[in-house]
Amino acid sequence: MGVVYDVQGYAVHDGPGIRTAVFLKGCPLRCWWCHNPESQRPEPERDARGDWIGEDTDAASLVGRVARDLPFFTASGGGVTFTGGEPTAQLPFLLEALDRARAAGLHTALETCGAFGSRWLAPLAARVDLFLFDLKHVDADAHRRGTGVGNRRILANLTWLLRELAPGRVTPRVPVIPGFNADPASRRAIAGFLRDRGYRGPVHLMPYHGLARDKYARVGRAQDFRAAPALTAADRLAIAADLDGGGLSPVWGGA
Amino acid sequence: MNALHPDADRIGRIRRRFQTGPAFVSVERARYYTAAWRASEGLGLAPEIRVALAMRAVYERMTHHLDPDDRLAGAWTEHALGVPIDIERGVFNAVFDAELTRPRMLKARALTAARAAGYLARRGGLVTFLKNQRIARAHGGAPLSMALDPMPARRVNPFQIRPADRRELLGELLPYWRGRTLVDRLDGALADSGLRSRDMHDFVLAVAGGASRQVEMVSTCATVATLQGHVILDHDKLLRLGLLGMRDEVRARAAEAEGAERTFLESLEIALDGVIVFARRLLARIDRELAVAPLRRRPVLSALRDRCARVPLHPPTTFAEALQSLWTVKTAVELAHPVNLHAFGRLDQILGPYYDADLAAGRIDPEAATALLEELLLKIMAQNLRPESNLLANFYHRFLGSSPVTVGGVTPDGADGTNALTYLFVEAAARSRAVTNLSVRVHPGTPDALLEAVAGHVAAGASCFSLYNDAVVAEAMERRGFAPADARDYALMGCVEATSPGRTGGMSANALLLSRLLDITLRDGDSALLAGTVRGEAPPLGAPPATFEALLDALVARAAYFIDKIVRASNLRDRLYAEHLPAPFISAFMEGPLERGRDVTRGGARYDLSGISIINAVANLVDALHVIRALVYERRVCTVPEVLAAVDADFQGRAGEAILAEIHAVPGRWGNGDPAVDALAHDVVARLAAEVHRHRSFRGGPFVVYAISMITHTIDGRLSVATPDGRRAATPFAASCNPANVEREGVTAALRSVAALPFEEMLGAAVNLKLHPSAVGATPAARAKWVALIRAYFALGGAQLQPTGVSAETLRAAQRDPDAYRDLVVKVGGYSSYFVDLGPEVQDEIIARTEHGASGV
């Protein structure tokens, strides 16, 4: 059994084609800008109105429900994307769901923060068609300040995946957060990290938005919400320029 | 929008005139038709001859309107925007009689109120009536507008009339026709037929006021429409032979025929004569204009003159001539059969060869052709307005965007028919901002580029497009007896109804109201309305169904009972048409009547269709059955009488609220892709369809099934008690084939549910899909995913989809500031309309529809 807090069809920004996004609850990181604060705690919880967030779900019925959209996946080259929260926070459940998804003929994508033990790399690589891998910061201290945890394991996992998997199976995603990693030095370091490991391809840039205030209030954590300045069009241009070239091509908002 | 193309200003002026210029009631048709009809009285002439002569007299004397912005000449009244009166059918006669002036309006309303009060007093239903009025107001529904603004002064859909015309209409024309119109005959025949229950008979007499007679009630759950039309003419033949060639053909046949057949063929000859007169007088009108026009207008006018000098009398030689030929004949025939109801068919297929030849010869460029198509779409729209009653004003609008143009799809031999004109029509539909439906046929070989073009326009707010699935529609046509090639050649008419163009008669539209059907089933024959309960609508069966299956069987048995009534009433109406008002002007342009020597109203066309639309609504019925199955038969939480008591209380009071809470807690409403509920929806609709398919009309054609509600889901909802799916009293039903705004699982799940319906058993269904613009086409990648969404939905068996790509924010903004959103087009039932033209209740219903977005960050 796993804890799933949302299943959304016609997800068009989380991998190729038309996808169903499955949101798993629980995350080892505590990013101060988090857009989905209701996803952070591992267990089901009640929101301010008393409604449940998260539900114990078995992998078979979850995948059975997702697979009803197979005709839409087939027509568009889509499939299922596991996201969260951090899906690898529920690893046995995630692996079973991935197995069942593949058995049902679904293309599988995993959106991950990368903070999981290296022994899971090979099992995941055997079951995930596409990794959407968050690369938040290359600098360990900055990463710890922004997310509450260090990035050694994350960078090692990304390095392994980039080395071991065929091109096209890993797409880096960078949440662009003013006050965290939107400065020239940080973003150039990210670009350099990717180029140094031979990555060539799209880099998804996920722009910060300040729309999560209500979500924090919903889970009774209004005090935890921290607003950052919004990105201007000029910011976006400059940021994209730093992540362009040398084999990298920036894509705002994912695809 | 392309503000740079040279015709943009001209098209903008035409659109503005139609949107905001005055609309006039024209009495010319009524005047000349009546005079000629009276002149032929007592001469022993056959009715088809009298009809043809009367219309020819109209063509001989009517005034032709010509506009400086015309590149297609021909209007059906003397006004830039006008509506003629079909006085001999009489669909709107009662409206004119009652609503043109304030004193007449007061008198009519007082009579209506007195009649209704008398009925209620006799029935002792006043207490219920007043209670229900309170319930209705509690839901914010404005009562049926008793507004006393006469037609020229009302806010929604006003019409002007010249004082002398008004005096003539009220003083001479309408009095002559009282008791003689087809509608009056139908009123009498239905009253005498015994088809209505005794209580229903009283009820109809009580409620029949100043409203139009577009629809007649047979039962609280069964109606027949009074219209005459819903056909597509044989345009290929017109272009091949020209009117003169067609008349020669008729003459040759008539010379060999005798008796009734000869009479009929003579009526065709007179009809063709009439249309020829119409065309010649249009040419003369242009000539007069040319004689006095300033020099700068002459090039345009003489080009127009040259075109009208050739067509429609002779076959066209260019694209512009072909278009003019079709337009002249459409206008003339539409004038013979107002209002709306015949469509152009597959114009890209018909006109493609002319366009290609012109393009190759350098006679035309895509911009010029697109501008002509924009003008065409706007002018189709301008012949699609109805002088409806004030009683429905809250629900109405100026233009109905029905009368669709069909493009794309496979050819009769199965190849992809998409051509250059298909794309130009898509572009013209978006640019013109006409509400006319552009029906785009889709098959696996349809180029992605065409669908992506549609996606781009939908995302930009154009909501005039409908998409059709060739595989399913052609299969449905074949099941109803169309030959494969004729089925593949289908085109849309009315709003969304499929027909084989140029060879299919069909003048019958009827409806089965599904929530009432369930209500009657649950109440063992009685029917509850907000105006009171009509008793004994169906014979009582006694014991309530012991199982859910028995309830379904009872529902289907009740449906069979009412379908039989509808069929009999439909045949009654169609026999009246055949006997009193045959249609030589349609018969002349249809494959079959000439060969068989029989009018289209008497089964002369090669194919013939009669239809029953299942409305108000599949979604409410399926959800109600699903809820009853769960609460009454599976969990035994309550009984049917307890559900009905809650329904009667509009779910108020402790018991009502408790049952409503139980209803809301039942998971899996139709529209969420739940396989069990989708299967229930499929089975219920398939069983209803099978009951319809048992019948054939007296013309020998099949009865077929449609699911298209126009705006009745709002109007009928307004008059209806609550329903067991949890819908409150006086609120709208689901539109056409849509889920009841209960979709929580996203657009793919909603489309899976819809696609599970047996569309191969229907010849027309409307499925509105309201999408946030960002979910359609913000980027090329998004558009590609939207195209895949459509293709997958069609692969699953969906037949139709009409997307609205306007956000709720935009719609609310348009409510606040109508002038800024003059061009905003939305889908209503099966047709499009300018949003700001709509009555407030219909606007609210559209805003309340589930809006699907794309999910994910």
Side-chain angles (χ1 to χ4, degrees):
Chain A
M1 297 287 273
V3 181
V4 173
Y5 76 93
D6 204 359
V7 177
Q8 292 184 353
Y10 202 55
V12 296
H13 304 293
D14 298 294
I18 296 170
R19 309 193 72 83
T20 295
V22 176
F23 293 80
L24 275 60
K25 204 158 153 33
C27 184
L29 273 53
R30 286 293 177 273
C31 307
W32 61 256
W33 63 83
C34 183
H35 289 172
N36 295 325
E38 74 278 20
S39 74
Q40 290 178 347
R41 295 181 188 131
E43 67 283 355
E45 61 190 298
R46 282 183 189 274
D47 68 11
R49 282 179 23 210
D51 293 334
W52 282 104
I53 300 170
E55 195 179 348
D56 286 322
T57 310
D58 68 282
S61 60
L62 171 71
V63 172
R65 194 172 143 203
V66 171
R68 290 177 187 165
D69 264 353
L70 188 60
F72 295 95
F73 304 151
T74 308
S76 63
V80 61
T81 299
F82 292 93
T83 179
E86 171 49 46
T88 60
Q90 302 185 43
L91 256 165
F93 173 71
L94 174 65
L95 292 178
E96 186 193 345
L98 285 166
D99 277 339
R100 289 183 180 276
R102 290 174 68 88
L106 307 185
H107 176 276
T108 56
L110 176 68
E111 192 174 22
T112 178
C113 69
F116 54 84
S118 60
R119 66 191 169 102
W120 298 105
L121 278 167
L124 284 169
R127 292 167 173 85
V128 173
D129 293 312
L130 174 68
F131 286 86
L132 300 165
F133 199 110
D134 273 15
L135 179 52
K136 298 185 172 75
H137 215 298
V138 175
D139 181 81
D141 290 338
H143 197 278
R144 190 177 297 280
R145 282 197 301 276
T147 72
V149 301
N151 65 358
R152 189 183 51 79
R153 207 161 56 148
I154 295 170
L155 298 182
N157 284 344
L158 178 56
T159 301
W160 188 90
L161 288 171
L162 289 174
R163 189 180 67 230
E164 298 296 325
L165 299 191
R169 286 190 56 197
V170 184
T171 300
R173 298 197 131 178
V174 182
V176 182
I177 315 297
F180 171 64
N181 66 357
D183 59 290
S186 300
R187 62 207 197 212
R188 282 174 198 154
I190 288 170
F193 178 90
L194 290 171
R195 290 191 187 106
D196 290 349
R197 278 150 190 80
Y199 178 73
R200 303 288 178 266
V203 181
H204 291 175
L205 302 178
M206 316 305 283
Y208 169 82
H209 64 73
L211 303 177
R213 183 187 299 272
D214 291 345
K215 287 187 168 187
Y216 280 87
R218 187 179 160 216
V219 287
R221 292 171 46 194
Q223 73 284 356
D224 291 346
F225 176 76
R226 276 171 64 187
L231 291 167
T232 65
D235 293 338
R236 284 178 174 241
L237 279 176
I239 292 162
D242 281 335
L243 284 140
D244 204 351
L248 305 185
S249 52
V251 180
W252 283 102
Chain B
M1 288 290 156
N2 182 347
L4 295 178
H5 82 93
D7 286 300
D9 289 348
R10 181 175 68 84
I11 298 296
R13 281 193 300 273
I14 294 173
R15 179 176 58 241
R16 207 56 66 185
R17 207 170 292 140
F18 292 158
Q19 285 176 336
T20 57
F24 280 89
V25 174
S26 164
V27 301
E28 284 196 346
R29 181 191 187 281
R31 175 191 301 148
Y32 303 132
Y33 193 102
T34 304
W37 188 261
R38 297 181 78 159
S40 69
E41 236 163 22
L43 300 182
L45 296 176
E48 62 266 36
I49 299 285
R50 293 185 71 194
V51 167
L53 286 173
M55 265 325 288
R56 193 175 69 182
V58 174
Y59 298 136
E60 280 166 350
R61 304 179 66 180
M62 65 179 285
T63 310
H64 280 279
H65 174 81
L66 193 63
D67 193 282
D69 285 321
D70 280 347
R71 301 297 178 270
L72 279 174
W76 65 345
T77 71
E78 69 274 33
H79 305 284
L81 182 63
V83 67
I85 303 173
D86 63 332
I87 199 158
E88 73 280 18
R89 269 174 288 280
V91 174
F92 298 106
N93 288 12
V95 181
F96 294 126
D97 207 34
E99 301 190 9
L100 280 174
T101 69
R102 197 176 299 271
R104 295 178 79 96
M105 195 129 180
L106 286 169
K107 192 175 142 206
R109 290 290 182 274
L111 260 175
T112 307
R115 219 167 17 214
Y119 169 79
L120 290 169
R122 281 198 306 282
R123 295 287 323 284
L126 202 56
V127 174
T128 316
F129 178 78
L130 292 176
K131 183 198 85 181
N132 286 337
Q133 289 307 301
R134 270 201 309 279
I135 287 175
R137 266 193 295 275
H139 293 292
L144 270 192
S145 171
M146 292 300 277
L148 297 172
D149 293 329
M151 289 178 88
R154 64 193 189 190
R155 190 186 75 77
V156 178
N157 196 28
F159 281 92
Q160 311 304 314
I161 185 168
R162 292 172 180 150
D165 289 352
R166 188 185 67 221
R167 284 191 294 275
E168 180 185 357
L169 180 62
L170 297 177
E172 297 167 34
L173 302 175
L174 291 175
Y176 169 76
W177 284 101
R178 204 160 292 142
R180 289 186 167 92
T181 65
L182 196 287
V183 165
D184 287 344
R185 289 180 197 278
L186 180 58
D187 272 345
L190 278 176
D192 295 344
S193 67
L195 286 172
R196 288 185 185 128
S197 69
R198 169 159 294 281
D199 213 12
M200 187 66 204
H201 180 77
D202 293 347
F203 181 78
V204 168
L205 287 186
V207 296
S212 77
R213 296 289 207 287
Q214 292 201 66
V215 170
E216 297 257 9
M217 295 182 81
V218 180
S219 153
T220 56
C221 74
T223 64
V224 295
T226 57
L227 60 88
Q228 185 177 25
H230 268 55
V231 292
I232 297 175
L233 305 184
D234 185 354
H235 297 114
D236 287 320
K237 183 174 185 178
L238 168 68
L239 297 184
R240 199 170 65 244
L241 298 180
L243 289 175
L244 295 179
M246 291 175 69
R247 193 175 59 181
D248 289 345
E249 193 187 44
V250 170
R251 279 181 178 156
R253 285 242 178 204
E256 292 166 12
E258 48 195 39
E261 184 177 350
R262 186 181 181 110
T263 306
F264 165 68
L265 292 171
E266 282 167 3
S267 80
L268 292 192
E269 187 183 339
I270 300 168
L272 288 168
D273 260 345
V275 180
I276 290 167
V277 168
F278 176 90
R280 287 196 166 129
R281 292 186 72 245
L282 175 61
L283 175 64
R285 173 73 182 85
I286 300 170
D287 277 335
R288 286 202 302 282
E289 189 81 6
L290 203 49
V292 298
L295 214 52
R296 61 184 164 74
R297 273 196 66 205
R298 297 230 174 141
V300 164
L301 271 174
S302 41
L304 200 57
R305 191 215 174 271
D306 291 348
R307 291 200 285 275
C308 291
R310 178 179 297 277
V311 296
L313 272 56
H314 305 277
T317 58
T318 65
F319 171 74
E321 284 178 5
L323 202 57
Q324 179 66 58
S325 181
L326 298 181
W327 179 249
T328 305
V329 169
K330 143 102 168 149
T331 303
V333 176
E334 199 83 72
L335 183 57
H337 292 271
V339 173
N340 162 3
L341 307 180
H342 80 261
F344 262 126
R346 309 184 68 184
L347 278 187
D348 61 337
Q349 305 301 302
I350 297 166
L351 295 171
Y354 297 94
Y355 177 72
D356 290 345
D358 278 11
L359 205 58
R363 283 191 295 261
I364 203 166
D365 60 66
E367 279 299 329
T370 305
L372 277 177
L373 299 182
E374 287 181 64
E375 184 176 346
L376 176 78
L377 293 170
L378 284 164
K379 288 187 166 176
I380 292 172
M381 167 180 102
Q383 289 179 355
N384 207 343
L385 71 180
R386 299 179 190 190
E388 243 311 341
S389 165
N390 231 2
L391 286 172
L392 299 183
N394 281 336
F395 307 95
Y396 229 68
H397 39 62
R398 174 170 274 183
F399 298 114
L400 283 82
S402 50
S403 213
V405 170
T406 305
V407 298
V410 296
T411 60
D413 56 13
D416 177 37
T418 311
N419 61 28
L421 269 188
T422 318
Y423 289 88
L424 294 195
F425 265 108
V426 167
E427 179 68 24
R431 275 191 200 175
S432 70
R433 297 274 159 170
V435 300
T436 305
N437 276 3
L438 190 73
S439 302
V440 182
R441 291 179 39 172
V442 179
H443 67 111
T446 298
D448 279 344
L450 183 70
L451 292 172
E452 282 165 10
V454 172
H457 294 315
V458 170
S463 300
C464 53
F465 297 98
S466 305
L467 303 170
Y468 291 83
N469 182 2
D470 277 3
V472 172
V473 178
E475 162 75 16
M477 302 269 294
E478 284 194 47
R479 287 191 182 201
R480 302 278 76 79
F482 288 85
D486 294 337
R488 284 193 290 265
D489 196 31
Y490 79 89
L492 290 312
M493 59 168 174
C495 296
V496 299
E497 298 92 314
T499 191
S500 195
R503 50 183 86 93
T504 311
M507 307 200 155
S508 322
N510 314 289
L512 180 67
L513 280 55
L514 298 177
S515 290
R516 295 259 170 72
L517 173 68
L518 177 64
D519 189 70
I520 291 171
T521 305
L522 295 175
R523 293 175 202 272
D524 200 23
D526 292 346
S527 178
L529 305 170
L530 281 179
T533 296
V534 175
R535 310 252 172 237
E537 266 308 88
L541 298 175
T547 63
F548 181 67
E549 287 65 34
L551 173 68
L552 270 189
D553 291 346
L555 179 87
V556 174
R558 297 293 192 189
Y561 175 80
F562 288 108
I563 288 166
D564 184 62
K565 278 187 188 253
I566 292 171
V567 167
R568 282 153 66 194
S570 178
N571 281 335
L572 187 73
R573 173 202 55 210
D574 290 347
R575 282 182 200 278
L576 288 175
Y577 270 116
E579 191 180 335
H580 297 285
L581 218 49
F585 290 87
I586 290 175
S587 300
F589 297 94
M590 184 67 65
E591 186 185 327
L594 182 66
E595 296 76 7
R596 295 178 177 180
R598 215 171 342 141
D599 190 86
V600 72
T601 58
R602 297 163 186 167
R606 183 147 144 234
Y607 299 104
D608 200 274
L609 293 175
S610 298
I612 297 180
S613 200
I614 50 171
I615 55 174
N616 306 345
V618 168
N620 302 101
L621 173 64
V622 169
D623 283 346
L625 288 171
H626 172 60
V627 161
I628 290 171
R629 175 164 65 184
L631 297 185
V632 175
Y633 292 103
E634 286 175 1
R635 290 172 41 213
R636 299 181 186 279
V637 174
C638 52
T639 63
V640 166
E642 284 164 355
V643 171
L644 288 176
V647 160
D648 288 338
D650 192 29
F651 304 114
Q652 290 168 17
R654 262 180 52 193
E657 283 168 14
I659 286 192
L660 186 62
E662 289 285 356
I663 288 172
H664 284 155
V666 175
R669 294 312 166 85
W670 183 65
N672 290 299
D674 182 304
V677 183
D678 292 352
L680 176 65
H682 176 279
D683 293 349
V684 168
V685 173
R687 290 183 69 180
L688 294 177
E691 294 302 328
V692 173
H693 292 155
R694 289 184 206 289
H695 298 275
R696 295 188 83 80
S697 75
F698 90 96
R699 295 190 301 263
F703 268 86
V704 303
V705 177
Y706 304 114
I708 157 77
S709 65
M710 313 258 308
I711 48 170
T712 66
H713 55 280
T714 312
I715 302 174
D716 186 33
R718 177 67 190 72
L719 304 172
S720 295
V721 297
T723 40
D725 59 329
R727 179 195 140 273
R728 308 296 295 266
T731 60
F733 292 109
S736 299
C737 257
N738 268 51
N741 300 322
V742 292
E743 309 95 292
R744 299 289 173 269
E745 298 282 322
V747 62
T748 51
L751 291 180
R752 283 201 317 267
S753 283
V754 173
L757 293 177
F759 286 112
E760 66 283 359
E761 302 296 349
M762 299 187 217
L763 283 197
V767 178
N768 292 302
L769 183 68
K770 198 167 95 180
L771 288 153
H772 194 272
S774 66
V776 186
T779 62
R783 283 197 285 278
K785 291 182 184 187
W786 186 80
V787 170
L789 183 76
I790 303 296
R791 290 207 191 267
Y793 163 66
F794 280 171
L796 283 169
Q800 199 259 11
L801 196 69
Q802 39 193 46
T804 294
V806 184
S807 67
E809 311 93 80
T810 304
L811 295 175
R812 284 199 197 90
Q815 275 188 320
R816 288 190 298 273
D817 185 8
D819 288 340
Y821 292 88
R822 199 49 257 181
D823 296 341
L824 182 63
V825 176
V826 293
K827 283 289 179 194
V828 184
Y831 58 87
S832 322
S833 182
Y834 291 116
F835 182 77
V836 300
D837 263 0
L838 291 166
E841 292 201 25
V842 180
Q843 288 186 344
D844 290 342
E845 188 268 324
I846 290 171
I847 291 175
R849 287 179 194 168
T850 304
E851 175 179 293
H852 290 285
S855 47
V857 179

